[in-house]
Amino acid sequence: MSSADTARPTPRRSDFPRDFRWGCSTSSYQIEGAAQEDGRGESIWDRYCATPGRIRDGSSGAVACDHYHRWSGDLDLARALGVGAYRFSVAWPRIFPDGVGERPNQAGLDFYSRLVDGMLERGLEPWATLYHWDLPQALQDRGGWENRATIEAFVDYAEAMARCLGDRVKHWITHNEPWCTAFLGHHEGIHAPGIRDYRRALQVCHHLLVSHGAALPALRGWAPDAQVGITLSLHPIEAASPSAADAAAVHRHDGTRNRWFLDPLYGRGYPADIVERLGADAPVVLAGDFETIAAPTDFLGVNYYFPEVVADAPGAGPIATRVVDRPGVERTAFGWEIAPQGLVTLLDRIRADWHPAAIYITENGSTFDDVVAPDGRVDDPKRLDYLARHLAAAREALAHGVPLKGYFAWSLLDNFEWAEGYVRRFGLIHVDYATQRRTVKASGHWYAGFLKT
Ligand code: IFM
């Protein structure tokens, strides 16, 4: 048992290097709303949400936190928490409503320009993510990420953003969690665009990775002094039992969850054991693709939420593994296991196996059923505890020599949690969606206090 897993550790900011980045993350579709304003085009999430039964509460991001109109107050709140960095994403359909075009939509560029200026005025370092899942529907109509032409469209979009913001944004993330786009969106079908086909998901995944590398020259060209990376959702994978079959299942599962992304990004191509297993389902890879994917980056963004425990499951899906619930462990309201020590395991392993120059935790957070008390306060002891324990885990990883350079809490605000709608609240700040009133939760006050120490 390490300090991260004991009751509630008391990490202090002074335990971390002085230049460690402290921030909060959000994403465009989850907070902005204003889905039809200033020339924004339709995104795949607008279309997906309009299909009955897709979203648990039947909602959409059409209004969300109305951040498009309330961004200034939201940045004030971020500043008041004491974070030094703010990670946001750009809605591609605000920039190219049809996905492509000769000229970007000026009103869309202006919005992000104002937003970035607002951050800089408040001493918040802007961290821009280019793709956090809101693909223009017009591109989906032409095959979406399955169509190789979307890579080129992404590069043009990346260039438009870097031309516009490259003088002020010094940290760029090409993609957020390509695993989710590819496999939740095209295999499990529980995210937009709602396709269920493993082979197609693998091809989508390949195009996402190629587009990441293909966009780097444009970003570096227009923002030469910027740091550029990609954010992955990664998990430590554990065996459900000591059996050899479960150990082999762990290796396969890790092969699709973690190695499938990290190996090509760090110059090794796709893992041979998985390619062999996929056979004819393996993606079409063109000459030069692996060189493109492996273009050097400045940092790796890691989103950590939970470990996965897997068992061998012959016949269950393409890699014959089954995720099982470890009994008797603490969980968030989403059912995700709370395992701060998993963060240490994961970071140690990334350092040992892929040696990134710098790692940022670009998301980490939890959802609980928060309520506003009659006195107007939101007491969320479990989220506070989660945060303190994960910061202690980050401290432990640093002590092991992991090149961890920053931590971004997910999320600044409660927001639209994709297929779960507004049922799940991940914010350090509570949002009353009927009134758009913001209330800093106890966990937010705790984070602010931590940042002041
Ligand atoms: O809300 C999401 C976010 O968009 C991507 N990472 C995980 C979060 C919680 O599910």
Side-chain angles (χ1 to χ4, degrees), residues 21 48 52 60 76 79 81 90 127 145 160 174 182 206 210 264-265 287 310 319 362 367 372 386 390 399 433:
R21 296 300 205 292
Y48 186 75
S60 76
D76 287 342
R79 181 70 202 128
L81 287 184
V90 177
W127 284 58
W145 286 108
T174 52
H206 182 64
V210 175
L265 285 167
V310 302
I319 53 157
T362 41
T367 176
V372 183
Y386 180 100
H390 282 78
Y433 297 109

Side-chain angles (χ1 to χ4, degrees), residues 412-435:
L412 176 68
L413 302 169
D414 288 341
N415 58 49
F416 176 75
E417 177 56 24
W418 309 112
E420 297 286 305
Y422 295 97
V423 175
R424 306 290 175 211
R425 293 181 175 274
F426 275 91
L428 296 176
I429 296 174
H430 181 276
V431 177
D432 177 333
Y433 297 109
T435 61

Side-chain angles (χ1 to χ4, degrees), residues 195-243:
I195 293 166
R196 289 169 185 254
D197 185 318
Y198 194 58
R199 190 189 54 75
R200 291 168 69 186
L202 286 161
Q203 196 62 50
V204 162
C205 191
H206 182 64
H207 291 160
L208 288 165
L209 289 171
V210 175
S211 76
H212 151 77
L216 295 184
L219 293 174
R220 297 215 186 274
W222 288 97
D225 49 348
Q227 305 273 298
V228 178
I230 185 170
T231 278
L232 304 177
S233 46
L234 298 170
H235 304 258
I237 317 283
E238 295 169 41
S241 83
S243 73

Side-chain angles (χ1 to χ4, degrees), residues 30 132-133 176-177 303 305 336 363 410 417-418 426:
Q30 294 181 271
H132 199 126
W133 310 352
N176 181 71
E177 300 180 349
N303 291 356
Y305 287 92
W336 294 353
E363 286 181 27
W410 183 267
E417 177 56 24
W418 309 112
F426 275 91

Side-chain angles (χ1 to χ4, degrees), residues 292-361:
T292 302
I293 297 172
T297 48
D298 303 299
F299 64 87
L300 174 68
V302 174
N303 291 356
Y304 172 71
Y305 287 92
F306 54 90
E308 283 193 334
V309 181
V310 302
D312 181 38
I319 53 157
T321 66
R322 188 166 46 89
V323 176
V324 299
D325 278 350
R326 201 192 320 256
V329 297
E330 294 172 89
R331 296 185 182 279
T332 69
F334 221 148
W336 294 353
E337 180 176 342
I338 300 174
Q341 201 57 33
L343 179 61
V344 184
T345 308
L346 178 67
L347 294 176
D348 281 346
R349 193 260 175 124
I350 294 170
R351 171 186 175 232
D353 287 359
W354 294 282
H355 328 290
I359 300 176
Y360 291 89
I361 297 168

Side-chain angles (χ1 to χ4, degrees), residues 378-449:
V378 181
D379 202 15
D380 58 342
K382 290 186 178 165
R383 184 177 293 98
L384 193 163
D385 203 59
Y386 180 100
L387 182 56
R389 288 160 68 192
H390 282 78
L391 293 185
R395 177 178 63 185
E396 188 175 332
L398 262 175
H400 292 182
V402 171
L404 186 63
K405 306 290 182 192
Y407 176 94
F408 291 73
W410 183 267
S411 176
L412 176 68
L413 302 169
D414 288 341
N415 58 49
F416 176 75
E417 177 56 24
W418 309 112
E420 297 286 305
Y422 295 97
V423 175
R424 306 290 175 211
R425 293 181 175 274
F426 275 91
L428 296 176
I429 296 174
H430 181 276
V431 177
D432 177 333
Y433 297 109
T435 61
Q436 291 295 347
R437 185 184 162 83
R438 274 72 162 144
T439 306
V440 180
K441 301 179 191 177
S443 57
H445 288 299
W446 184 90
Y447 195 36

Side-chain angles (χ1 to χ4, degrees), residues 29-357:
Y29 191 75
Q30 294 181 271
I31 64 167
E32 284 179 2
Q36 306 206 341
E37 274 182 58
D38 292 338
R40 177 186 178 279
E42 188 188 14
S43 82
I44 55 172
W45 274 93
D46 298 309
R47 181 72 64 93
Y48 186 75
C49 292
T51 310
R54 293 294 205 184
I55 309 299
R56 183 198 267 255
D57 58 4
S59 65
S60 76
V63 177
C65 306
D66 195 30
H67 173 78
Y68 191 77
H69 301 114
R70 297 169 193 266
W71 62 267
S72 176
D74 290 340
L75 294 184
D76 287 342
L77 287 168
R79 181 70 202 128
L81 287 184
V83 294
Y86 176 67
R87 174 176 173 242
F88 67 107
S89 79
V90 177
W92 186 344
R94 288 198 194 282
I95 309 303
F96 287 108
D98 296 321
V100 290
E102 284 299 305
R103 274 203 317 253
N105 171 30
Q106 193 58 44
L109 293 176
D110 289 347
F111 170 67
Y112 292 106
S113 204
R114 285 195 299 275
L115 188 67
V116 163
D117 286 345
M119 291 177 215
L120 295 172
E121 280 158 20
R122 290 165 179 81
L124 297 167
E125 184 177 64
W127 284 58
T129 301
L130 287 170
Y131 190 73
H132 199 126
W133 310 352
D134 37 3
L135 185 74
Q137 179 63 39
L139 288 179
Q140 189 61 44
D141 294 341
R142 280 173 252 144
W145 286 108
E146 218 180 322
N147 180 351
R148 221 182 140 94
T150 299
I151 297 173
E152 212 176 301
F154 180 72
V155 173
D156 290 345
Y157 157 59
E159 178 169 355
M161 292 319 302
R163 282 175 86 129
C164 174
L165 301 178
D167 56 337
R168 288 157 289 160
V169 174
K170 303 300 173 194
H171 295 86
W172 292 87
I173 293 168
T174 52
H175 284 280
N176 181 71
E177 300 180 349
W179 182 89
C180 296
T181 302
F183 296 101
L184 296 182
H186 299 80
H187 174 220
E188 296 183 30
I190 58 168
H191 275 192
I195 293 166
R196 289 169 185 254
D197 185 318
Y198 194 58
R199 190 189 54 75
R200 291 168 69 186
L202 286 161
Q203 196 62 50
V204 162
C205 191
H206 182 64
H207 291 160
L208 288 165
L209 289 171
V210 175
S211 76
H212 151 77
L216 295 184
L219 293 174
R220 297 215 186 274
W222 288 97
D225 49 348
Q227 305 273 298
V228 178
I230 185 170
T231 278
L232 304 177
S233 46
L234 298 170
H235 304 258
I237 317 283
E238 295 169 41
S241 83
S243 73
D246 283 355
V250 165
H251 192 63
R252 292 197 301 278
H253 201 82
D254 179 59
T256 54
R257 268 297 209 177
N258 300 321
R259 291 184 286 129
W260 194 256
F261 297 86
L262 288 161
D263 277 3
L265 285 167
Y266 287 90
R268 299 181 199 162
Y270 290 128
D273 57 319
I274 303 297
V275 172
E276 190 185 330
R277 185 170 184 97
L278 292 174
D281 285 345
V284 175
V285 176
L286 301 191
D289 280 359
F290 284 134
E291 286 75 9
T292 302
I293 297 172
T297 48
D298 303 299
F299 64 87
L300 174 68
V302 174
N303 291 356
Y304 172 71
Y305 287 92
F306 54 90
E308 283 193 334
V309 181
V310 302
D312 181 38
I319 53 157
T321 66
R322 188 166 46 89
V323 176
V324 299
D325 278 350
R326 201 192 320 256
V329 297
E330 294 172 89
R331 296 185 182 279
T332 69
F334 221 148
W336 294 353
E337 180 176 342
I338 300 174
Q341 201 57 33
L343 179 61
V344 184
T345 308
L346 178 67
L347 294 176
D348 281 346
R349 193 260 175 124
I350 294 170
R351 171 186 175 232
D353 287 359
W354 294 282
H355 328 290

